[in-house]
Amino acid sequence: MVGLTSAAGLVGFLSEPDADLKVFALRRLDAEIDLIWTELAGHVGEIEALYEDESFPERELAALVAAKIYYHLQEYNESMVFALGAGKLFNLDFGGEFEETIISKCVDTYIALSVVHNPASPASTANQPPPQLTTAFPQTTNGGASTFASLTSPTTPFSQSTLPSKSLLSRQEASSTFDPSIPGGGNAGVVGSHPSPLALQRGIQIQLQSVIEQLFERCFKEGRYRQVVGIAVEARSLDTLRKVILRASEDEEKAGKKLGEGATGIGEELLDYVLDICMSVVQERGLRNEILRLILELLNDIPNPDYFSIAKCVVYLGQNSMASGILCQLVEKGDPRSLAIAYQISFDLYDNGTQEFLTKVREELPAAEEKQGEQPSRGDGVENLDKEYSENAQETDRLLAEGEHGSAASASTSIGTKDKKPLTEGQRTVYDSIKEILRGTKSIELNLEFLYRNNHTDMNILNKVRDSLEARNSIFHTAVTFSNAFMNAGTTSDAFFRQNLEWLGKAVNWSKFSATAALGVIHRGNLGQGQKLLEPYLPRENVSAGSTFSQGGSLYALGLIYANHGTRVLDYLRDHFKKANEEVVQHGGALGLGVAGMATGSEEIYMELRNVLYTDSALNGEAVGLAMGLVMLGTGNIKALEDMIQYAHDTQHEKIVRGLAIGMALIMYGRQEAADELINGLLDDPDPTLRYGGIMTVAMSYCGTGSNKAVRKLLHVAVSDVSDDVRRVAVMGLGFILFRKPNSVPRMVELLSESYNPHVRYGAAMALGISCAGTGLDEAVDLLEPMVKDPTDFVRQGALIALSMIMIQQNEAMNPKVASIRKTLQKNIGDRHEDAMAKFGCAIALGIIDAGGRNCTIGLQTQTGNLNMAGIVGMAVFTQYWYWFPLTHFLSLSFTPTSVIGLDTELDVPSFKFYSATRPSLFDYPPEQEAKTDEAPEKVKTAVLSTTVQAKRRAQRRRKIVRSPEPMDYEQPSTTPKPSNIPEDKMDTDEALSADKVDRAESDKRDDDGDRLDFDKKAGKEEEKEVTSSGEAMKKKLDKEKVGYDLENMSRVLPGQLKFISFPEGRYEPVKKPTGGVILLMDKKPSVPKSLIELKARKVTTKEAPAPETLEDRVNAAYDRAGGQTARNADVDRAETGASAAAGVLTAVDEDEEGASDAELPRDFEYHSDDNGEA
């Protein structure tokens, strides 16, 4: 049929009294609407009148035509209303552009209406307002803290009172941030994605509900359950969420599909998906908790629930009663698989829970140890300490209290033990093992063994760092100390100290403090011998001899060894902290207390720290303020916050204010909306240090959430605050918020990395390093590479550190750029013209990129996907090295071993192999650097001018002619050797090399003339060629390799390698999908004798060094060791560790109490070293 060329005739039919003519016209118009809608736009009123006429037989057809006209006019709200009025004529299955648009509009409207009927739950107990801070923060006209950072000075440049109306910064927060509680909020934070709910008629609302149900039913039939889950989450409709999960399980049962061994059903996969988006996408804490409770309820109704998903929810909600109930239920079952699952859950709880949470779980387990009367020696007093801390811990999280109240019934009926029965001998043993795992003793021991036996530290790199940096300069000495500590973190390998006693003796004052604390990083997790090896350094009662800096550093080191596991040493640290009179010892004791007592919530420790704070010592105050935050980490303790805020306003010491500011941020760790009042108050404070703390509070309270509200606030402060420190940390904070979405960070900070302000550029570099750590992300590397040549020294420092974070555990097969980056680091650290700050960053970067013997990555989230509390806190405190170098050691808390450690149900380490479906070199260790003993930058020979060389040659020739006899009757044979020419040629070559080095050095000094620019371009091109060639060579090598190889138990497995790991049919089978770390195994052949892996680390004994009581004894002991080591290096006693060998050097009292940057050795030590060198 020929199409219509004009709609005039059909439009005329609409005015006819005959209804059949009207129906005919509407049908023709509906068929040709896409061509003639422009003519109908002026007559849409007539079509609407037909729809509103109840006597008209085809009202729905009129509504459909009107809907299509409004659709073409882009009036989508009106189009949706009339499409809903069309009833069955609106065909959802047609699949046209009009239908898809209207369906999308219906979904948005449904979400908006549902959000209105399901408002956001308050972040507190029902009908109770959140706790208020009684502080002196400035109040707004409404009586509350401002809802956004003040737009007046000092946070706005030029003291502008208002911003231009079109400025992005002048928009209201409610309309430009993600807030699912407002109508139309949600959809991943896209502004305006959902309209405000329309005032729809009752019939239209019913039709809308019908359309949504049809849409859901179509998704169910096609198996697209995840789309319905997404709509339900955005609409806050928990009923819909419950319906889709149950429907998925029902459909699976109806289909009658039999699952293979180890396979998961559709319902379980959907629950995992809901759990994943709940933890990674949902930004509001209240909604997240409601969804988690729903997941828990559904999981409990399953006959064989996924206990690992339950444990993940339980940890986040803080429901220790449910956690202990799960463990008891599994132990009561008694079969090997249930016991293996109980052990696996215990390991997961330790990885994800705080000390306070784990203590409560242990206390609620049956008291097997007391009944049996067999407490292991390494756990003496632990239970009493746990009870004490549990009584003193003050959990002020109202939201978690609501969570416990809301699901206590389900926990008690479905999982908890109903009645207590006498424990059998086997159950007592199992509970003992579970408590040991929950204390962390087993995990720490296994990680220590893994790092000890797989240590691949390249000592050649460390020696080059030492040789390139002048040890008499304290900043360089400290840099080498940090590099050594990071490279050997957790490996217990302190041989570098033993082999470099002379270098170590140059440490004075705070360099000595950091060097002693480095032992804690190296021996982190060495619970059995940690205190013994530090014995020579630790302060003693009634003995005043020894360096106070080494004593303070030893207390700090002791805390690092027992980091986040301090129940065994907390009393010891508290005792020395209270008895210490020297500020340096108190400083180290405070840091040790904070690290070891992290997140215990102990009021007693807090009060002891506060008493020292009130002495108003600047040196102590910074460490004490930080320690107070560490002890109260994540508790949100209102009383502690009020004390800290009040004293921060009272004191005049900037160091104390900074320590308190960071401490307050740590107290609000993970609190999200509950921290908003504190954030607003701190950001409005005129003191830039407190505003700095406010930004850190944003980073800590919203870490890992990807919150658009937090990102917007940080970006606003990053471009508006008048303090460079605040702007720098605001940009840096983006890394903490977005580390779960590393791909989005380079695009976000791209412009900031080119800012005119070097502090903003530094912050952008560190944000990339924090968020993209261990990913090897090319976009981040591309942004950082130009910053390595930034004109500002501290920007270069930040870029080098960030590059090392990103490239940690990367090899050339994974990222070809890693070779050039390593080369750049080694080149810059040996460059005599490089600034000290950039060299300091180079040394730290070389330590980070090879952290933990090349067996650690930087993990800000755990293997199971939860936030890694210790890692995030360690990274946050590490960034404060800008103000205080000793805090650099905190980065070791972020180092996570990348391993697969299999345990059987008896918690033994069996010897077995698993399979990696990759080529061996893809995830292999980087090659070690070749030692070049003939090259030393400080031993360049004296330069000789070319004219002098030529003159010498002419003189040599003249002397030869004079000395040689003149030939008379015969010629000198041509084969006569010329021995005199050989040394002369060699000398010429050496001198020419020296001259070349001098010419190169002189050319480096001509930067101002532009000569070096060409050299840099050539060097850059050469590096690009090298990267290309190395990448091609690696690609050829990979092509030749065979795919697939076997790995032994306790082998290094990188996070990217886990998806290729499988356990072939054999004796051992994992109880869950390998996620790295400890994996419990089921033994299919329990009757066959098993082969176990011998644990070597526990057998290494520490030789305690005799601690000299007098200064003379200490110095003599140090000289004897140094002399013996240099003269008889081959005869060094290997049983003596670096810690004991260095004790005599580090504990010696410095001659200069307050040291300058250049530390001179005692004269006698210099004299002995010279004699040894001559000998």
Side-chain angles (χ1 to χ4, degrees), residues 950-1161:
Q950 294 174 0
K952 286 184 178 181
R953 288 175 179 169
R954 288 194 295 269
Q956 286 278 8
R957 293 193 193 99
R958 284 196 295 269
R959 284 196 295 271
K960 273 195 272 185
I961 293 173
V962 171
R963 286 199 302 267
S964 62
E966 295 182 5
M968 304 260 321
D969 298 331
Y970 65 94
E971 290 186 3
Q972 184 75 17
S974 59
T975 57
T976 302
K978 300 178 181 180
S980 61
N981 291 339
I982 296 174
E984 185 64 29
D985 290 342
K986 185 177 181 181
M987 187 179 298
D988 291 345
T989 302
D990 292 342
E991 289 170 352
L993 288 173
S994 301
D996 289 342
K997 291 180 181 179
V998 173
D999 293 340
R1000 193 182 303 117
E1002 291 177 353
S1003 67
D1004 289 346
K1005 296 179 181 179
R1006 296 196 295 266
D1007 293 341
D1008 297 336
D1009 300 332
D1011 294 341
R1012 192 174 181 181
L1013 296 176
D1014 297 334
F1015 176 77
D1016 289 340
K1017 290 180 181 179
K1018 293 178 181 178
K1021 292 180 180 179
E1022 291 177 358
E1023 287 182 2
E1024 290 179 2
K1025 291 180 180 178
E1026 290 179 2
V1027 171
T1028 305
S1029 60
S1030 64
E1032 292 176 354
M1034 181 59 63
K1035 191 175 291 185
K1036 292 179 180 179
K1037 181 181 178 182
L1038 284 173
D1039 293 340
K1040 295 179 181 179
E1041 282 184 324
K1042 181 182 177 182
V1043 176
Y1045 62 102
D1046 292 332
L1047 287 170
E1048 294 284 349
N1049 192 12
M1050 294 197 99
S1051 293
R1052 185 183 84 147
V1053 178
L1054 302 187
Q1057 189 179 1
L1058 285 170
K1059 57 186 176 183
F1060 302 106
I1061 295 297
S1062 62
F1063 289 77
E1065 293 295 330
R1067 178 170 181 175
Y1068 295 101
E1069 176 190 4
V1071 297
K1072 73 167 187 175
K1073 184 180 179 181
T1075 55
V1078 178
I1079 301 293
L1080 264 294
L1081 307 169
M1082 288 296 301
D1083 190 353
K1084 297 180 180 179
K1085 303 175 182 178
S1087 59
V1088 179
K1090 58 185 178 182
S1091 175
L1092 301 180
I1093 294 178
E1094 181 184 7
L1095 301 183
K1096 300 177 180 179
R1098 65 168 62 169
K1099 291 189 175 184
V1100 178
T1101 57
T1102 300
K1103 182 179 178 181
E1104 184 175 349
E1109 296 296 336
T1110 65
L1111 174 60
E1112 183 179 0
D1113 291 338
R1114 292 175 184 270
V1115 175
N1116 290 338
Y1119 295 159
D1120 292 342
R1121 290 191 181 91
Q1125 191 272 337
T1126 53
R1128 302 180 303 276
N1129 190 34
D1131 300 329
V1132 173
D1133 182 10
R1134 295 299 175 185
E1136 184 179 35
T1137 64
S1140 59
V1145 177
L1146 290 178
T1147 56
V1149 181
D1150 301 322
E1151 291 185 359
D1152 297 330
E1153 291 298 329
E1154 296 296 329
S1157 60
D1158 295 335
E1160 296 184 0
L1161 288 170

Side-chain angles (χ1 to χ4, degrees), residues 829-949:
I829 204 167
D831 188 355
R832 292 177 298 171
H833 305 291
E834 185 61 273
D835 293 310
M837 293 186 71
K839 283 190 173 184
F840 180 84
C842 261
I844 294 180
L846 285 169
I848 294 173
I849 201 170
D850 289 334
R854 297 182 171 179
N855 291 301
C856 289
T857 188
I858 294 177
L860 300 187
Q861 52 184 338
T862 63
Q863 308 278 10
T864 54
N866 283 5
L867 298 181
N868 180 6
M869 181 192 67
I872 294 171
V873 171
M875 179 66 73
V877 181
F878 161 73
T879 60
Q880 306 309 307
Y881 81 88
W882 179 280
Y883 303 102
W884 192 234
F885 283 161
L887 298 180
T888 307
H889 285 309
F890 269 82
L891 184 62
S892 63
L893 302 182
S894 300
F895 294 156
T896 304
T898 52
S899 62
V900 167
I901 303 174
L903 298 182
D904 60 16
T905 53
E906 296 178 359
L907 299 184
D908 293 326
V909 186
S911 177
F912 74 99
K913 294 183 179 180
F914 53 94
Y915 184 74
S916 176
T918 60
R919 293 180 172 88
S921 60
L922 182 59
F923 296 103
D924 198 7
Y925 290 96
E928 292 192 3
Q929 182 184 10
E930 297 181 2
K932 298 181 180 180
T933 55
D934 55 340
E935 287 188 12
E938 67 275 5
K939 295 182 180 179
V940 177
K941 291 187 176 182
T942 305
V944 180
L945 297 177
S946 58
T947 54
T948 306
V949 175

Side-chain angles (χ1 to χ4, degrees), residues 91-277:
N91 187 4
L92 298 179
D93 299 326
F94 185 74
E97 187 176 337
F98 165 72
E99 286 77 12
E100 295 295 333
T101 303
I102 298 304
I103 289 173
S104 176
K105 200 67 182 175
C106 289
V107 171
D108 290 344
T109 305
Y110 167 76
I111 292 174
L113 289 169
S114 182
V115 166
V116 171
H117 292 91
N118 300 287
S121 59
S124 62
T125 308
N127 301 324
Q128 292 185 10
Q132 301 293 320
L133 286 171
T134 57
T135 64
F137 285 146
Q139 302 291 315
T140 60
T141 55
N142 296 328
S146 63
T147 59
F148 196 69
S150 173
L151 295 181
T152 58
S153 182
T155 58
T156 301
F158 316 120
S159 299
Q160 297 176 355
S161 58
T162 59
L163 293 174
S165 58
K166 293 184 179 181
S167 172
L168 290 174
L169 301 180
S170 65
R171 297 179 183 174
Q172 294 297 321
E173 180 184 8
S175 63
S176 58
T177 60
F178 172 54
D179 185 2
S181 64
I182 63 175
N187 196 21
V190 178
V191 179
S193 294
H194 308 308
S196 297
L198 300 174
L200 301 178
Q201 297 178 0
R202 181 67 177 172
I204 298 298
Q205 290 188 17
I206 295 175
Q207 187 63 28
L208 173 64
Q209 186 67 32
S210 175
V211 169
I212 295 298
E213 289 178 357
Q214 293 179 43
L215 181 63
F216 286 171
E217 191 63 31
R218 188 171 70 177
C219 291
F220 293 154
K221 291 180 180 180
E222 297 175 0
R224 295 183 294 169
Y225 301 101
R226 296 190 177 189
Q227 294 188 5
V228 183
V229 167
I231 295 174
V233 171
E234 285 203 53
R236 298 176 176 274
S237 177
L238 299 184
D239 293 335
T240 304
L241 190 59
R242 182 196 305 272
K243 176 182 176 182
V244 64
I245 295 174
L246 295 176
R247 177 65 181 270
S249 301
E250 292 174 2
D251 291 346
E252 184 180 4
E253 292 178 2
K254 290 179 180 178
K257 295 181 180 179
K258 293 184 178 180
L259 301 176
E261 186 177 355
T264 57
I266 298 176
E268 295 180 11
E269 289 181 357
L270 196 60
L271 277 173
D272 291 340
Y273 173 72
V274 174
L275 181 60
D276 180 61
I277 65 171

Side-chain angles (χ1 to χ4, degrees), residues 690-798:
L690 286 179
R691 296 204 304 278
Y692 183 101
I695 295 298
M696 285 300 298
T697 307
V698 175
M700 290 294 96
S701 58
Y702 288 92
C703 61
T705 63
S707 169
N708 293 291
K709 179 176 69 173
V711 169
R712 175 171 165 76
K713 187 166 292 190
L714 292 177
L715 289 174
H716 167 69
V717 176
V719 297
S720 64
D721 201 281
V722 295
S723 170
D724 286 335
D725 287 348
V726 179
R727 297 180 68 177
R728 181 182 69 247
V729 75
V731 182
M732 195 186 307
L734 294 172
F736 289 100
I737 305 295
L738 298 169
F739 67 78
R740 280 179 164 168
K741 303 175 182 177
N743 293 322
S744 64
V745 179
R747 184 175 66 255
M748 185 171 295
V749 302
E750 183 175 3
L751 293 178
L752 295 173
S753 66
E754 301 173 0
S755 170
Y756 72 93
N757 190 325
H759 292 267
V760 174
R761 298 200 300 272
Y762 173 89
M766 292 300 292
L768 289 170
I770 293 168
S771 60
C772 305
T775 62
L777 194 64
D778 290 333
E779 292 83 354
V781 175
D782 292 339
L783 287 179
L784 289 170
E785 282 181 329
M787 301 175 74
V788 174
K789 300 178 181 179
D790 194 275
T792 307
D793 52 0
F794 62 80
V795 177
R796 296 198 298 274
Q797 178 192 82

Side-chain angles (χ1 to χ4, degrees), residues 478 508-515 549 583-584 587-588 619 884 886 1150 1154:
T478 304
V508 295
N509 298 338
W510 289 106
S511 295
K512 184 173 292 185
F513 180 93
S514 297
F549 290 96
E583 291 183 339
V584 177
H587 183 93
L619 184 59
W884 192 234
D1150 301 322
E1154 296 296 329

Side-chain angles (χ1 to χ4, degrees), residues 30 33-34 37 44 47-48 51 59-87 89-92 96-107 109 195 198 200 204 207-208 211:
D30 178 48
I33 192 70
D34 293 337
W37 66 270
V44 68
I47 300 175
E48 287 186 30
Y51 166 67
R59 292 181 58 213
E60 294 179 348
L61 179 60
L64 182 63
V65 174
K68 292 183 178 180
I69 295 173
Y70 279 118
Y71 164 74
H72 285 290
L73 291 172
Q74 297 185 3
E75 297 290 342
Y76 299 124
N77 286 334
E78 288 80 358
S79 178
M80 181 198 67
V81 171
F82 283 105
L84 292 174
L89 294 181
F90 177 58
N91 187 4
L92 298 179
E97 187 176 337
F98 165 72
E99 286 77 12
E100 295 295 333
T101 303
I102 298 304
I103 289 173
S104 176
K105 200 67 182 175
C106 289
V107 171
T109 305
L198 300 174
L200 301 178
I204 298 298
Q207 187 63 28
L208 173 64
V211 169

